[in-house]
Structure formats: structure tokens, C-alpha cells
Amino acid sequence: MKVTGAVIPFLPLCRRLLPSSLAGLSLALLKATALELAILAGHVLLYPSGIAQERRTTPQLPARDTAQLPTETNPPVVLLHGFIDNRSVFVLLRRSLAQHGRHQVESLNYSPLTCDIRTAAELLGRHIEGICERTGSRQVDVVGHSLGGLIARYYVQCLGGDVRVRTLVTLGTPHSGTRVVPLANAHPIVRQMRPGSPVLEKLAAPAPGCRTHFVSFWSDLDHLMDPLETACIDHPDLMAQNVRVTGIGHLALPVHPAVATGIRQALDSARTGAEATAQAGGLTVA
């Protein structure tokens, strides 16, 4: 995607007007903003295709008398979008997962009129139970973008979802609450994403014995996280790893191929018991 090339003519101006450190930061911010705008434009075009719930299919099970070779299977992956969004945001991530052996991938659309994280978490729980029943899998992996990660975390911590969710990957999720856009407080679900809300207080409460492995990707250029570190998970009872992503913004997290690679590594490491290589030093997206 040749988005960052558009900012090159402004590089000499940035270097003349700003100190070297600030010029570098401004250039990175300019690139990230240009990429965010391009992704937003593309997402607007794709949005209508993701309004309806996707069709559910039941995998064909082999006949009982068919000889089977032992195979290492991956659990289904559930994708959960963010606030005022739908499953179309995961088009590229789904393709990446499928190309690397994740063939059971499903997205859940929750209504844009949803006003309660707890209600959405209950819906997610019913959806996951249905997936397990259809596929015969005991557990699933979940990838949640922004608000979707918070809904999934509430299901895991507060509704017994740690029995079903093996790994929860969050992308730009306000785990400790975000203070961005104060005027948006008119929406009840935005108020639940504010620091100190009853929902976030419950998530901060003790969670002994939680079995789910958490991996949180957070960006140093995420304009919707205030402060930026709110997208990290900091809880003494949770098995959590935080992965810093450098060079892209909020909308790019579920789209960028480097992040998709990190997500696959996180899901694969949960199966093997190893740490994902991306978590050693974070991800740098040029």
C-alpha cells in the first residue's frame, strides 16, 4: 500500500521547522495519519458488506469407519469488532489466518445500538457455545479490536468464559479506560469505557485461577487511547503479555500485515507453550 509515499515531499519542511527528534516523531505521526485515513476510506467502502451476520456452517465430520491420521488441530478463532463497526474490519486478518492454516474463523456482529458491555459479553458467550457445539471443539481463540477486546475480556473474567477461551488477543483495547473525546459520554457504552467505570472496576477486581492467556497489542500512535498505556493489561491475576506496536494508529491494528503476523504468533505460541517472538521487542512498522 503506497500511502506513506505521499508524505515524502513534506520531509525537508519537517526537518527545517522542528528539532531532529520532533521532526522524526512528526514524520511518523504524519505517515500513521495518512495510513489511518486510507484505511478509513477503504473501510467505509467495505462496511455495507459486513452489516449482516455471516452464515454459519457446520464442518463435515468424517465417517466413523474412515481411517484418520493424527493431526494437530487449532481451535476456532472468533473475531470481535470495535465500537460502531462490523465484521468487515477483519477481511484482511481473516485471509491471513486462513492462509496459515486457521480455517475455522468466525466473526460476531453485535448491534451498533448495543449500550452495555455486559449484555454484549453474554451474547458473545452464547455465540462461542454455538461454535463449540458445531465444531466439536472444547475451546476457541478470540481476537477483539478496541471495544471488542473489552467485551471478550468481560466474558472471560466475569462470566466464566475462561473455560472456553484459550487465548484472548486484544488490539487497541482500553483496558484501563480512555479519556478521549469527552463529548462522547452521551453514549452509555462510551461511559463504560471511561476510567473508574463500574465495568472497568469489576475487571480490575481479583480474578484468581483465570485460565485464559491474554496478549494485548497497543500502539504508540493510537489516537483513541488516552493515555496510550491504557491498552496494556496490568492485572496481577492474569497471564498477560503486552506487545508495543510502533508506527501505526488505531484503525491499522486489525489490518496491518505485521500485526497479523504477531497475532498468528500469539495464537501459535499458546498451542506450543512458547512465547511469541514478537513479544520480545514489540513490533516496529515502518
Side-chain angles (χ1 to χ4, degrees), residues 124-178:
L124 174 62
R126 294 193 296 271
H127 181 74
I128 289 176
E129 289 297 327
I131 291 176
C132 291
E133 183 178 351
R134 290 195 312 274
T135 63
S137 179
R138 186 176 61 87
Q139 290 184 307
V140 302
D141 291 329
V142 179
V143 179
H145 179 225
S146 196
L147 172 62
L150 210 56
I151 291 171
R153 182 178 170 187
Y154 193 92
Y155 165 65
V156 166
Q157 274 187 243
C158 305
L159 300 179
D162 61 321
V163 175
R164 289 298 193 191
V165 179
R166 185 191 66 161
T167 304
L168 170 57
V169 177
T170 65
L171 310 172
T173 291
H175 291 286
S176 300
T178 178

Coordinates of all heavy atoms in Angstrom, one line a residue, residues 124-178:
L124 N -21.7 -12.8 23.3 CA -20.5 -13.5 22.9 C -20.4 -14.9 23.4 O -20.1 -15.8 22.7 CB -19.3 -12.7 23.3 CG -17.9 -13.3 23.0 CD1 -17.7 -13.5 21.6 CD2 -16.8 -12.4 23.6
G125 N -20.8 -15.0 24.7 CA -20.8 -16.3 25.3 C -21.7 -17.3 24.6 O -21.3 -18.5 24.4
R126 N -22.9 -16.9 24.3 CA -23.8 -17.8 23.5 C -23.3 -18.1 22.2 O -23.4 -19.3 21.7 CB -25.2 -17.1 23.4 CG -25.9 -16.9 24.7 CD -27.4 -16.6 24.5 NE -27.6 -15.3 23.9 CZ -27.7 -14.2 24.5 NH1 -27.6 -14.1 25.8 NH2 -27.9 -13.0 23.8
H127 N -22.6 -17.2 21.5 CA -22.0 -17.4 20.2 C -20.9 -18.4 20.3 O -20.8 -19.3 19.5 CB -21.5 -16.1 19.7 CG -20.9 -16.2 18.3 ND1 -21.6 -16.3 17.2 CD2 -19.6 -16.1 17.9 CE1 -20.8 -16.3 16.1 NE2 -19.6 -16.2 16.6
I128 N -20.1 -18.3 21.3 CA -19.0 -19.3 21.5 C -19.5 -20.7 21.8 O -18.9 -21.7 21.3 CB -18.0 -18.7 22.5 CG1 -17.2 -17.5 22.0 CG2 -17.0 -19.8 23.0 CD1 -16.3 -16.9 23.0
E129 N -20.5 -20.7 22.6 CA -21.1 -22.1 22.9 C -21.6 -22.7 21.6 O -21.5 -23.9 21.4 CB -22.2 -21.9 23.9 CG -21.7 -21.6 25.3 CD -20.9 -22.7 25.9 OE1 -21.1 -23.9 25.6 OE2 -19.9 -22.3 26.7
G130 N -22.2 -21.9 20.8 CA -22.7 -22.4 19.5 C -21.6 -22.9 18.6 O -21.7 -24.0 17.9
I131 N -20.5 -22.2 18.6 CA -19.3 -22.6 17.8 C -18.8 -23.9 18.3 O -18.5 -24.9 17.5 CB -18.2 -21.5 17.8 CG1 -18.7 -20.3 17.1 CG2 -16.9 -22.1 17.2 CD1 -17.7 -19.2 17.1
C132 N -18.6 -24.1 19.6 CA -18.1 -25.3 20.2 C -19.0 -26.5 19.9 O -18.5 -27.6 19.6 CB -17.9 -25.1 21.7 SG -16.6 -24.0 22.2
E133 N -20.3 -26.2 19.9 CA -21.3 -27.3 19.6 C -21.2 -27.7 18.2 O -21.2 -28.9 17.9 CB -22.7 -26.8 20.0 CG -23.7 -27.9 19.8 CD -25.1 -27.4 20.2 OE1 -25.2 -26.3 20.7 OE2 -26.1 -28.2 19.9
R134 N -21.0 -26.8 17.3 CA -21.0 -27.1 15.8 C -19.7 -27.8 15.4 O -19.7 -28.6 14.6 CB -21.2 -25.8 15.0 CG -22.6 -25.2 15.0 CD -22.8 -24.3 13.9 NE -21.7 -23.3 13.8 CZ -21.6 -22.1 14.4 NH1 -22.6 -21.9 15.3 NH2 -20.6 -21.3 14.3
T135 N -18.6 -27.3 16.0 CA -17.3 -27.8 15.6 C -16.7 -29.0 16.4 O -15.8 -29.6 16.0 CB -16.3 -26.7 15.6 OG1 -16.1 -26.2 17.0 CG2 -16.7 -25.5 14.8
G136 N -17.3 -29.2 17.6 CA -16.8 -30.2 18.5 C -15.6 -29.8 19.2 O -14.9 -30.6 19.9
S137 N -15.2 -28.5 19.1 CA -14.0 -28.0 19.8 C -14.4 -27.6 21.3 O -15.5 -27.1 21.5 CB -13.5 -26.8 19.1 OG -12.3 -26.3 19.8
R138 N -13.5 -27.9 22.2 CA -13.7 -27.6 23.6 C -13.4 -26.1 23.9 O -14.0 -25.5 24.8 CB -12.8 -28.5 24.5 CG -13.1 -28.3 25.9 CD -12.2 -29.3 26.7 NE -10.8 -29.1 26.5 CZ -10.1 -28.2 27.2 NH1 -10.6 -27.5 28.2 NH2 -8.8 -28.1 27.0
Q139 N -12.5 -25.5 23.1 CA -12.1 -24.1 23.3 C -12.0 -23.3 22.0 O -12.0 -23.9 20.9 CB -10.8 -24.0 24.1 CG -10.8 -24.5 25.5 CD -9.4 -24.3 26.2 OE1 -8.4 -24.8 25.7 NE2 -9.4 -23.6 27.3
V140 N -11.9 -22.0 22.1 CA -11.7 -21.1 21.0 C -10.7 -20.1 21.3 O -10.3 -19.9 22.5 CB -13.0 -20.4 20.6 CG1 -14.2 -21.4 20.3 CG2 -13.4 -19.4 21.7
D141 N -10.1 -19.5 20.3 CA -9.3 -18.3 20.5 C -10.1 -17.1 20.0 O -11.0 -17.2 19.1 CB -8.0 -18.4 19.6 CG -7.0 -19.4 20.1 OD1 -7.0 -19.7 21.3 OD2 -6.3 -20.0 19.3
V142 N -9.9 -16.0 20.7 CA -10.7 -14.8 20.4 C -9.7 -13.6 20.1 O -8.7 -13.4 20.8 CB -11.6 -14.3 21.5 CG1 -12.4 -13.1 21.2 CG2 -12.6 -15.5 21.9
V143 N -10.0 -12.9 19.0 CA -9.3 -11.6 18.7 C -10.3 -10.5 18.7 O -11.3 -10.5 18.0 CB -8.6 -11.7 17.3 CG1 -7.9 -10.4 17.0 CG2 -7.6 -12.9 17.3
G144 N -10.1 -9.5 19.6 CA -11.0 -8.4 19.7 C -10.3 -7.1 19.5 O -9.3 -6.8 20.0
H145 N -10.9 -6.3 18.6 CA -10.4 -5.0 18.3 C -11.1 -3.9 19.1 O -12.4 -3.9 19.2 CB -10.6 -4.6 16.8 CG -10.1 -3.3 16.4 ND1 -10.8 -2.4 15.6 CD2 -8.9 -2.6 16.7 CE1 -10.1 -1.3 15.4 NE2 -9.0 -1.4 16.1
S146 N -10.4 -3.1 19.8 CA -10.9 -2.0 20.6 C -12.0 -2.4 21.6 O -11.7 -3.3 22.5 CB -11.5 -0.9 19.6 OG -11.7 0.3 20.2
L147 N -13.2 -1.9 21.5 CA -14.3 -2.3 22.4 C -14.5 -3.9 22.4 O -14.8 -4.5 23.4 CB -15.6 -1.6 22.0 CG -16.8 -2.0 22.7 CD1 -16.7 -1.8 24.2 CD2 -18.1 -1.3 22.1
G148 N -14.3 -4.5 21.2 CA -14.5 -5.9 21.1 C -13.6 -6.7 22.1 O -14.0 -7.7 22.7
G149 N -12.4 -6.2 22.3 CA -11.5 -6.8 23.3 C -12.0 -6.7 24.7 O -11.8 -7.6 25.5
L150 N -12.6 -5.6 25.0 CA -13.1 -5.3 26.3 C -14.4 -6.2 26.6 O -14.5 -6.8 27.7 CB -13.5 -3.9 26.5 CG -13.5 -3.2 27.9 CD1 -12.1 -3.4 28.5 CD2 -13.9 -1.8 27.8
I151 N -15.2 -6.4 25.6 CA -16.3 -7.3 25.7 C -15.9 -8.7 25.9 O -16.4 -9.4 26.8 CB -17.2 -7.2 24.4 CG1 -17.9 -5.9 24.3 CG2 -18.2 -8.4 24.4 CD1 -18.6 -5.6 23.0
A152 N -14.9 -9.2 25.2 CA -14.3 -10.5 25.3 C -13.7 -10.7 26.7 O -13.8 -11.8 27.3 CB -13.3 -10.8 24.2
R153 N -13.0 -9.7 27.2 CA -12.4 -9.8 28.5 C -13.4 -9.9 29.6 O -13.2 -10.7 30.6 CB -11.4 -8.6 28.8 CG -10.7 -8.7 30.1 CD -9.8 -7.6 30.3 NE -9.3 -7.6 31.7 CZ -8.6 -6.6 32.3 NH1 -8.2 -5.6 31.5 NH2 -8.2 -6.7 33.5
Y154 N -14.5 -9.2 29.5 CA -15.6 -9.3 30.5 C -16.2 -10.7 30.5 O -16.4 -11.3 31.5 CB -16.7 -8.2 30.2 CG -17.6 -8.1 31.4 CD1 -17.4 -7.1 32.3 CD2 -18.7 -8.9 31.5 CE1 -18.3 -7.0 33.4 CE2 -19.6 -8.8 32.6 CZ -19.4 -7.8 33.5 OH -20.2 -7.7 34.6
Y155 N -16.4 -11.2 29.3 CA -16.9 -12.6 29.2 C -15.9 -13.6 29.9 O -16.4 -14.5 30.6 CB -17.1 -13.0 27.7 CG -17.3 -14.5 27.5 CD1 -18.4 -15.1 28.0 CD2 -16.3 -15.2 26.8 CE1 -18.5 -16.5 27.7 CE2 -16.5 -16.5 26.5 CZ -17.6 -17.2 27.0 OH -17.7 -18.5 26.8
V156 N -14.6 -13.4 29.6 CA -13.7 -14.3 30.2 C -13.6 -14.2 31.7 O -13.6 -15.2 32.5 CB -12.3 -14.1 29.6 CG1 -11.2 -14.8 30.4 CG2 -12.2 -14.6 28.1
Q157 N -13.5 -13.0 32.2 CA -13.3 -12.8 33.6 C -14.5 -12.9 34.5 O -14.4 -13.4 35.6 CB -12.6 -11.4 33.9 CG -11.1 -11.3 33.7 CD -10.6 -10.0 34.1 OE1 -10.0 -9.3 33.3 NE2 -10.7 -9.6 35.4
C158 N -15.6 -12.4 34.0 CA -16.8 -12.3 34.8 C -17.9 -13.2 34.5 O -18.9 -13.4 35.3 CB -17.3 -10.8 34.7 SG -16.1 -9.6 35.0
L159 N -17.9 -13.9 33.4 CA -19.0 -14.8 33.0 C -18.5 -16.3 32.8 O -19.2 -17.1 32.2 CB -19.7 -14.3 31.7 CG -20.3 -12.9 31.8 CD1 -20.9 -12.6 30.4 CD2 -21.3 -12.8 32.9
G160 N -17.3 -16.6 33.4 CA -16.8 -18.0 33.3 C -16.3 -18.3 31.9 O -16.1 -19.5 31.6
G161 N -16.0 -17.4 31.1 CA -15.5 -17.7 29.7 C -14.1 -18.2 29.6 O -13.7 -18.6 28.6
D162 N -13.4 -18.2 30.8 CA -12.0 -18.7 30.7 C -12.0 -20.2 30.5 O -11.0 -20.8 30.2 CB -11.3 -18.4 32.0 CG -11.9 -18.9 33.2 OD1 -13.2 -18.9 33.3 OD2 -11.2 -19.4 34.1
V163 N -13.2 -20.9 30.7 CA -13.3 -22.3 30.4 C -13.2 -22.5 28.9 O -12.7 -23.5 28.4 CB -14.6 -22.9 31.0 CG1 -14.8 -24.3 30.6 CG2 -14.6 -22.7 32.5
R164 N -13.8 -21.6 28.1 CA -13.9 -21.7 26.7 C -12.9 -21.0 25.9 O -12.5 -21.4 24.8 CB -15.3 -21.2 26.2 CG -16.5 -22.0 26.6 CD -16.4 -23.4 26.0 NE -17.7 -24.1 26.1 CZ -17.8 -25.4 25.9 NH1 -16.7 -26.1 25.4 NH2 -18.9 -26.1 26.0
V165 N -12.3 -19.9 26.4 CA -11.4 -19.1 25.6 C -10.0 -19.4 26.0 O -9.6 -19.2 27.2 CB -11.6 -17.6 25.9 CG1 -10.6 -16.7 25.1 CG2 -13.1 -17.2 25.4
R166 N -9.2 -20.0 25.1 CA -7.9 -20.4 25.4 C -6.9 -19.2 25.4 O -6.2 -19.0 26.3 CB -7.4 -21.4 24.3 CG -6.0 -22.0 24.6 CD -5.5 -22.8 23.4 NE -5.3 -21.9 22.3 CZ -4.5 -22.3 21.2 NH1 -3.9 -23.5 21.2 NH2 -4.3 -21.4 20.2
T167 N -7.0 -18.4 24.3 CA -6.2 -17.2 24.2 C -7.1 -16.0 23.7 O -7.9 -16.2 22.8 CB -5.1 -17.4 23.1 OG1 -4.3 -18.5 23.4 CG2 -4.2 -16.2 23.0
L168 N -6.9 -14.9 24.4 CA -7.6 -13.7 24.0 C -6.6 -12.6 23.6 O -5.7 -12.2 24.4 CB -8.5 -13.1 25.2 CG -9.1 -11.7 25.0 CD1 -9.9 -11.7 23.7 CD2 -9.9 -11.3 26.2
V169 N -6.7 -12.3 22.3 CA -5.8 -11.2 21.7 C -6.6 -10.0 21.6 O -7.7 -9.9 21.0 CB -5.2 -11.7 20.4 CG1 -4.4 -10.5 19.8 CG2 -4.4 -12.9 20.5
T170 N -6.1 -8.9 22.2 CA -6.8 -7.6 22.1 C -5.9 -6.6 21.3 O -4.7 -6.6 21.4 CB -7.1 -7.0 23.5 OG1 -5.9 -6.6 24.2 CG2 -7.9 -8.0 24.3
L171 N -6.6 -5.8 20.5 CA -5.9 -4.8 19.6 C -6.5 -3.4 19.9 O -7.6 -3.1 19.7 CB -6.2 -5.1 18.1 CG -6.0 -6.6 17.7 CD1 -6.5 -6.7 16.3 CD2 -4.6 -7.0 17.8
G172 N -5.6 -2.6 20.6 CA -6.1 -1.2 20.9 C -7.3 -1.2 21.8 O -8.2 -0.4 21.5
T173 N -7.3 -2.0 22.8 CA -8.5 -2.1 23.7 C -8.2 -1.2 25.0 O -7.2 -1.4 25.6 CB -8.7 -3.5 24.1 OG1 -9.2 -4.3 23.0 CG2 -9.8 -3.6 25.2
P174 N -9.1 -0.4 25.4 CA -8.9 0.5 26.6 C -9.1 -0.3 27.9 O -10.2 -0.1 28.6 CB -10.0 1.6 26.4 CG -11.1 0.9 25.6 CD -10.4 -0.1 24.7
H175 N -8.2 -1.1 28.2 CA -8.3 -2.0 29.4 C -8.5 -1.2 30.7 O -9.2 -1.6 31.6 CB -7.2 -2.9 29.5 CG -7.1 -4.0 28.4 ND1 -8.0 -5.1 28.4 CD2 -6.3 -4.1 27.3 CE1 -7.7 -5.8 27.3 NE2 -6.8 -5.2 26.7
S176 N -7.8 0.0 30.8 CA -8.0 0.8 32.0 C -8.8 2.0 31.8 O -8.9 2.9 32.6 CB -6.6 1.2 32.5 OG -5.8 0.1 32.7
G177 N -9.4 2.1 30.6 CA -10.3 3.2 30.3 C -9.6 4.3 29.5 O -8.4 4.6 29.7
T178 N -10.3 5.0 28.6 CA -9.7 6.1 27.8 C -10.5 7.3 28.1 O -11.7 7.3 28.2 CB -9.7 5.7 26.3 OG1 -9.2 6.8 25.6 CG2 -11.1 5.4 25.8

